[in-house]
Each structure stands twice: as C-alpha cells, then as structure tokens.
Amino acid sequence: MNAASRSVSVKDVAARAGVSLGTVSNVLNRPDRVSDPTRVKVETAMRELGFVRNESARQLRAGHSRVVAYVVLDAANPFFTDVAQGVELSAGLADLWLFICNSNNDAERERAYLDLLQQQRVQGILITPVDPDAEHLREVAGRGTPLVVVDRTQQGLDLCSVAVDDVLGGRLAVEHLIDRGHTQVAFIGGPLSIGQVRDRWQGAQQAWADAGLPPESLHLITTSALTVVEGRGAGERLSGLPSRRRPMAAFCANDLLALGLLQQTIGSGRRVPDDLAIVGYDDIEFASAAAVPLTSVRQPRHELGRTATELVIDEATNPAHTHTQVTFTPELIARTSTLG
Amino acid sequence: MNAASRSVSVKDVAARAGVSLGTVSNVLNRPDRVSDPTRVKVETAMRELGFVRNESARQLRAGHSRVVAYVVLDAANPFFTDVAQGVELSAGLADLWLFICNSNNDAERERAYLDLLQQQRVQGILITPVDPDAEHLREVAGRGTPLVVVDRTQQGLDLCSVAVDDVLGGRLAVEHLIDRGHTQVAFIGGPLSIGQVRDRWQGAQQAWADAGLPPESLHLITTSALTVVEGRGAGERLSGLPSRRRPMAAFCANDLLALGLLQQTIGSGRRVPDDLAIVGYDDIEFASAAAVPLTSVRQPRHELGRTATELVIDEATNPAHTHTQVTFTPELIARTSTLG
DNA sequence: TTGTAGGCGTTATCAC
DNA sequence: GTGATAACGCCTACAA
C-alpha cells in the first residue's frame, strides 16, 4: 500500500520484478509481446508497489490528453448540468472524460480556467462564455486547442458554435402571451450584458411590434442575475406597481427567475395564471414540477451538448475540419402557468 | 496566431527571442532576475508565437498539480453543486482549481474517474461515493493521493470524511411530523443501497419508536432514484392507497423527491399541507421557492465543501496530518408544507 | 545577468 | 522476447 512512497515509477516496478524498464512498458502497452510468466511477475510487482501510471509523463510524450472540459456559466443552473449530461454521454463514446469547470459568470475565472486547460493540453474545450466575442476565446483556438462555444452563436465564422435561436425563443414566448390576449407584458431578465438575455428581449420586442402593440406596454424589468432570488425580487417590484399599470403577464429570461416570480406571486396571495401569467425559458425539470406547472421555452439541452462534443472532437481529429455554427430551434411548452 | 503549430516550446521562444532557453524560463518563473529589455524581447516572442506553458512537463518535474477534483454522485442535484461552490471558494484561497466530475451514481464510472485523477496526480480528491466502504477509496489514499469522503461518514478511521448526521436528520423530520399530530407517516426514498437514504430512514424509525407509535403506521415507500420523476411516481402510489390507510404526511429522503411529490399532490387536486404534509431533505434553493414552500432538513452545504477542502489540503501538505471525521448537525426548517 | 546540463516518468526504436 | 537509449518540455542548480 506504500502510503508514503513519493511516487512509484516504471523503474521501481522493473527493479522489483527483476526485469528491464522496457519490459514493464511492454506489459502496459503491448502485453502480447511479453511472455506470460514475465507478465505475471511484472503485474505482481505493480500491485505490490501500488504503481499508478503518471499521466503527465504519458501526455508529455503523447502530446495530448484524454479529457475534454466544459466551462459552464453557472453550475447551479440545471440547464447547464443537463447540457453537460449530453456532453458526457457523447464524450464517453469517444473514450474521453469530462471535467466540468464553473466560471460562475466571472470573466476573470473563465480566463483562468481557459489558461489552465490549454496548459493541460486537453483534447478540447466546450464553453458557455461570459462574452462570446471575447478575444481570448479566439486565441485559444488559434493556439491549437479546439474550442466550441455552447449556447451562443458566433459573430465571425472562426469558431464552432452550437446554439439555440434565442431571438426566436423570445418571439415564441411573447407571441404565446399575445395569443392569450395579453396587452401588458413584462419582460424580466438581466443583466443585459448577457447575450442570451439580450436576444430573448429582442425577440420579445419583435413579436410585440409585429402584433402592432405599442412598445411602452412591453415593460422591461431588469435583474442583476438569472436566479430564483432575483425572480422573487422582480415579483416584488411588479407587485409595487399601481394595479392599473401592472402587467398581467410576465416573460422571464430563464426558469430560475420564473420560479422565483411564481413563488413570490403565489406567496403574496395572487394567482397564476389568473392574476399573472408566467412564461419561463429553458424548460428545466423543475419547471414542470412547479406547483403551477410552468409554461417555458424548451431548448434541446442534451442535443446541444452532444453536438458540441461532436464538433470539438472533429476539430481535434479531422484535418479537414471546418468551423460550423449550428443553431437549434426552440419550442414553446405551454402549461398551466399561462393556460389556467 | 499559429493555428497549426504543433506546440510552441520554450526552446522555440528562446530561438525567436535570440536568448537561451534558461532565460526564457527565468522570465516565466523569476522575472526579477532578467533585465528589462531581455524580458520584453522574450515576452514579445511568446506573444508572437502563441506560447502556452505545458502543464504536463511542469507537473512531471514538480510532482504535483494545482487541481483538486470533486467527484459528485449527481451533477443535476443542486445539493452537490452547492457543496461544490463551497469547495471552489476555499480551493481558490489555496490557489487550487476545481474540476467537477460526475459519477452519475455509477460505481464503474466513479472508479474510472478515480483512476484518471490519480494518474493526473491531482492535489486531492473529494468524493461523494456510491459506496463509502468500497475498497478502491482506501487504495487511492494508500497510493498517495489525498482523498476526503463528502456527505458520508467513514466506518474506519483511515480516511477523512465530512458528513452531516443523517440519522439525526431523519429524527428531526419525523419528530416534527409527530409534533404536528401525525400518526400515519410515509417515508419516501430509495434505493436503500444509498447510505444517506438508509440513515434517514433509520432516524425516522427511531423517532417513531421513541414516540411509542406502532411501526406499521410508518410506511416505507421505496423509489428507484432520488429524482423529481420518482417523487411524482411515489405520489401516485400514495394516492392509490385507500383513504383510510393513506398517510397524511410524508417525509422524503431528499428535496427532489419532495418536489415531485408536491407537484403530483397538488396536480391531483389535493392540498398541502391540509391533505398531505410534506417534509423534504437538503433544503435546496428550490425548496423554499416551491409554490408551497417546503419544510426541509437543512444541511450546511457550503460548510461541508469548505471543510472537506481544508481537510484535503491538510492531508496534501501537512506531514503531521491525521485523518479526521467531521460530522455536522442538520437543522429542520419548517415552512408551509407542514405548517399550513 | 545569462547560458548549460541533467532529470522528472513514459514510450518507442532499435539492437540483441 | 527482452533491454538499453533517446526524446517529450520544463525547471533548477550551477557555471560563466
């Protein structure tokens, strides 16, 4: 068990087994070239010494690792863990292991993780970036580590990306509310520095304009994060409005906000959807599990992860790889929170 | 940006800058020993070539990495991502980076990740294991990689662990229900192969016996996983019981189950807590955000992560380290789902 | 202040 | 079937 052993190397194993170092290596990598008795001797020595292959040394020689990493914006948001599940599945098929890193919406941390991962020479990086146009994303790819942007489209064509059409998603949500007869709607989300929020807001505005409704009746309520707590806060601000001017419907930029809003609304004695209709975004599992099942815009989360992984593997292994921007189509899932 | 460059090494940088290899290394590691103009020359060369330090080579020499890993049971369960947040925070203080790995409750995958992480020579491993008594956990520690078990206590004293007293948690939940006058209670959870579930069930039984209530009025409803979907299923089974024998209260082994149960209950027209009182476990953020705020047993999640990290760092750096088993105390948070 | 040499652990090549 | 040797990229003594 050798608890204190600095680190047992092939050399130690060779000495213990009374063979040369090359033979040990053969046992590890081409067992068929080794005679049975020798192999057994070596394997025994490995077990006795508690030998563990040193991945750094292997990798130094091989030039690449068996790992892909997914840098998420917020590990506590089920949306990202669902995407990660899709990644993990297809990574496994290619014999790759997944490390999840959490940038926590912090550009500094994101950058630090990217640096670390490049230095580790991971096979590829998937990332939902704080800012998809940041220069350092391009630099990563330029320096040889395949990188795919997840859940954001790319302006240029110099990176792979996998995304869902957030503008369309915003449209779907608001068109649904318009169909339900609403003429006063609040868009709740923020900060607007988050591209996903901007796009959904834009889609909302487009749908509003297309329906010929006056812009001032589509209210923008900005939040400082996409969390349950912020959703509750937004609910309080909404309650504070004079009832004449208070929207009877809200479209939230994600489900966490929507769940917070839902809770605050019900908690303060109003009813969903009678007093307030709510549409969320992402259709995380908790959306349908909310006590008033939440209407939400569904994104193909697993698909997103799967496709991103395939792209990053292609970029890593296919010399003829060309950067591709994949866009999926969102889908509105109507439930009680708008249907009554 | 040198897209194709196999890999730019210090040697390349030295050549480009017209200095020796050692100088480049000095610029990287002891910049003060280098004259300003030389430094600038070297830095320029690095930028122009897109140089990225090779972590494998560094690590091969240094003998250890700057990474800790947390192998979670279920990345989609907010409980674990909250623990991970605590880990991340204190790891950052020690200049360590966190990789999250998802075993997905699969012993095989868990083992594979452990192998990989050992081979990577990570600074330490935190793990919420499928089976805390598995031999391979001990082997990891025995081979020199510090390992701390999170959210499970250890039988032996040969591993560090950080846990919450689940038996006590189970007691608290059921005592609360007894206090509220319930004499027919369902325990919902499973599979019982999960230690956390076993302990909470045991605590529930203890509280029940201590109150002098007959064992047959504490119903065990087992599930095949601790998920929202399973919670809904359990709700259906509960509804199926003849109303005379149907418990008026349920204690769920975690909040995901409880949320599923809550949804199914409300969805089928019954009321919480009037028709069914519900207690969850973990007090994840969604618990208080549920439309009927959920009574739940709170575990100090960040604390758990923080302490585990401190232990693993101590094990990695302090020669006088002794294995420690830390147990935290859970706390019942009473909310509407039992208080009405 | 700068340059040179050796070694970290693994693997592949090439004699034996 | 086996054993010596060089190389991967970096870092740190040590020498100049």
Side-chain angles (χ1 to χ4, degrees):
Chain A
M1 283 291 156
N2 258 296
S5 59
R6 273 293 134 255
S7 205
V8 180
S9 77
V10 280
K11 212 185 284 182
D12 301 318
V13 174
R16 171 70 153 241
V19 300
S20 89
L21 180 158
T23 302
V24 176
S25 176
N26 280 336
V27 170
L28 288 166
N29 304 298
R30 318 217 245 349
D32 42 308
R33 287 205 198 165
V34 182
S35 74
D36 272 11
T38 312
R39 214 195 56 241
V40 171
K41 250 194 326 193
V42 172
E43 285 170 348
T44 309
M46 294 202 283
R47 216 171 318 109
E48 288 172 351
L49 294 170
F51 169 73
V52 177
R53 264 157 119 129
N54 185 322
E55 178 73 15
S56 301
R58 295 185 78 187
Q59 200 175 309
L60 178 56
R61 190 136 212 305
H64 61 248
S65 81
R66 301 132 61 199
V67 168
V68 294
Y70 179 25
V71 183
V72 301
L73 220 43
D74 175 12
N77 184 339
F79 171 76
F80 293 112
T81 54
D82 286 348
V83 175
Q85 212 161 82
V87 173
E88 193 134 36
L89 224 69
S90 23
L93 296 179
D95 247 311
L96 292 171
W97 297 97
L98 174 65
F99 288 162
I100 299 173
C101 307
N102 186 11
S103 75
N104 218 4
N105 227 316
D106 175 339
E108 220 31 73
R109 291 171 53 80
E110 173 181 306
R111 201 195 181 100
Y113 269 119
L114 284 178
D115 282 346
L116 178 61
L117 294 168
Q118 288 179 85
Q119 292 174 16
Q120 298 237 27
R121 302 288 192 273
V122 295
Q123 274 279 332
I125 299 177
L126 311 181
I127 183 170
T128 301
V130 175
D131 170 13
D133 299 321
E135 197 43 52
H136 63 249
L137 296 184
R138 262 154 208 83
E139 279 172 8
V140 170
R143 287 177 180 166
T145 304
L147 180 146
V148 173
V149 172
V150 178
D151 197 38
R152 291 274 66 204
T153 43
Q154 278 308 113
Q155 305 284 56
L157 300 175
D158 48 351
L159 281 179
C160 280
S161 69
V162 181
V164 182
D165 187 338
D166 280 326
V167 176
L168 175 56
R171 293 188 79 105
L172 291 176
V174 168
E175 282 168 3
H176 173 71
L177 290 172
I178 294 171
D179 285 350
R180 304 289 305 164
H182 290 282
T183 54
Q184 294 279 339
V185 168
F187 175 88
I188 297 174
L192 286 171
S193 58
I194 299 179
Q196 286 89 333
V197 176
R198 263 199 321 272
D199 287 356
R200 292 164 198 178
W201 166 232
Q202 191 190 326
Q205 290 174 297
Q206 287 179 7
W208 204 249
D210 288 358
L213 291 160
E216 66 272 15
S217 55
L218 180 66
H219 307 257
L220 173 63
I221 297 187
T222 58
T223 59
S224 64
L226 301 172
T227 60
V228 173
V229 174
E230 283 292 312
R232 272 180 241 158
E236 279 155 21
R237 277 190 277 161
L238 213 52
S239 310
L241 294 178
S243 60
R244 270 189 319 103
R245 292 184 39 229
R246 191 190 304 150
M248 301 275 291
F251 165 39
C252 297
N254 84 350
D255 282 344
L256 301 183
L257 285 174
L259 289 170
L261 174 62
L262 177 64
Q263 181 204 16
Q264 196 280 333
T265 304
I266 294 183
S268 67
R270 287 175 298 143
R271 290 168 0 148
V272 175
D274 302 334
D275 300 320
L276 183 70
I278 300 178
V279 180
Y281 206 106
D282 286 345
D283 192 32
I284 61 177
E285 187 171 28
F286 295 106
S288 65
V292 178
L294 201 62
T295 295
S296 191
V297 178
R298 175 180 296 171
Q299 315 197 60
R301 307 188 283 280
H302 288 100
E303 201 85 359
L304 222 49
R306 195 172 61 68
T307 309
T309 309
E310 286 164 2
L311 284 177
V312 91
I313 291 174
D314 189 67
E315 185 167 346
T317 55
N318 177 3
H321 172 84
T322 53
H323 292 312
T324 314
Q325 288 78 38
V326 179
T327 304
F328 288 104
T329 303
E331 177 191 6
L332 185 99
I333 309 292
R335 298 199 184 88
T336 319
S337 74
T338 56
L339 299 180
Chain B
M1 281 290 159
N2 256 296
S5 59
R6 272 294 135 253
S7 205
V8 180
S9 79
V10 279
K11 211 185 286 182
D12 301 317
V13 174
R16 170 70 153 240
V19 300
S20 89
L21 180 159
T23 301
V24 176
S25 178
N26 280 335
V27 170
L28 287 166
N29 303 297
R30 321 222 239 352
D32 42 310
R33 288 205 196 165
V34 182
S35 74
D36 272 11
T38 312
R39 214 194 57 242
V40 171
K41 249 194 325 194
V42 172
E43 286 170 348
T44 309
M46 293 203 284
R47 217 171 315 110
E48 288 172 350
L49 295 170
F51 170 74
V52 178
R53 261 158 122 128
N54 185 323
E55 178 74 15
S56 301
R58 296 185 75 187
Q59 198 176 310
L60 179 55
R61 191 147 205 301
H64 61 249
S65 81
R66 301 132 62 199
V67 168
V68 293
Y70 179 24
V71 183
V72 301
L73 219 44
D74 175 12
N77 185 339
F79 172 77
F80 293 112
T81 54
D82 286 349
V83 174
Q85 213 162 80
V87 173
E88 192 134 37
L89 224 68
S90 24
L93 296 178
D95 248 312
L96 293 171
W97 297 97
L98 174 66
F99 287 161
I100 299 173
C101 308
N102 186 13
S103 76
N104 218 6
N105 228 315
D106 175 340
E108 221 28 74
R109 291 171 53 79
E110 173 181 307
R111 200 197 182 98
Y113 269 120
L114 284 178
D115 282 346
L116 178 61
L117 293 168
Q118 288 180 83
Q119 292 174 15
Q120 298 238 28
R121 301 291 192 271
V122 294
Q123 274 280 332
I125 299 177
L126 311 181
I127 182 169
T128 301
V130 174
D131 169 14
D133 298 321
E135 196 43 53
H136 63 250
L137 296 184
R138 261 153 209 83
E139 278 173 8
V140 171
R143 289 179 178 163
T145 304
L147 180 144
V148 173
V149 172
V150 178
D151 196 37
R152 291 273 66 203
T153 43
Q154 278 309 112
Q155 304 285 54
L157 300 175
D158 49 350
L159 281 180
C160 281
S161 68
V162 181
V164 181
D165 186 338
D166 280 326
V167 177
L168 175 57
R171 293 189 78 105
L172 292 176
V174 168
E175 282 168 5
H176 174 70
L177 290 173
I178 294 171
D179 285 350
R180 305 289 304 164
H182 290 283
T183 54
Q184 293 279 341
V185 168
F187 175 88
I188 296 174
L192 286 171
S193 59
I194 299 180
Q196 285 90 332
V197 176
R198 265 198 320 271
D199 288 356
R200 291 165 199 177
W201 166 232
Q202 190 190 328
Q205 289 173 298
Q206 288 178 6
W208 204 250
D210 288 359
L213 292 160
E216 66 273 16
S217 55
L218 180 64
H219 308 255
L220 173 62
I221 297 188
T222 57
T223 59
S224 64
L226 300 171
T227 59
V228 172
V229 174
E230 282 293 312
R232 270 180 242 158
E236 280 155 21
R237 276 189 278 162
L238 213 54
S239 311
L241 295 178
S243 60
R244 270 186 323 99
R245 293 183 39 229
R246 190 189 303 150
M248 300 275 290
F251 166 39
C252 297
N254 84 350
D255 282 343
L256 301 183
L257 286 174
L259 290 171
L261 175 62
L262 177 64
Q263 180 203 14
Q264 196 280 334
T265 305
I266 294 185
S268 67
R270 287 175 300 143
R271 290 166 3 147
V272 175
D274 302 335
D275 300 319
L276 182 70
I278 300 178
V279 180
Y281 206 107
D282 286 345
D283 193 32
I284 60 176
E285 188 172 28
F286 295 105
S288 65
V292 178
L294 202 63
T295 294
S296 191
V297 178
R298 175 181 296 171
Q299 315 198 60
R301 306 187 284 280
H302 287 100
E303 202 85 359
L304 222 50
R306 195 172 61 68
T307 309
T309 310
E310 286 164 3
L311 285 176
V312 91
I313 291 175
D314 189 67
E315 186 167 345
T317 56
N318 177 3
H321 172 83
T322 53
H323 292 311
T324 314
Q325 288 77 37
V326 179
T327 305
F328 288 103
T329 303
E331 177 191 5
L332 185 99
I333 309 293
R335 298 201 184 87
T336 319
S337 74
T338 57
L339 298 181

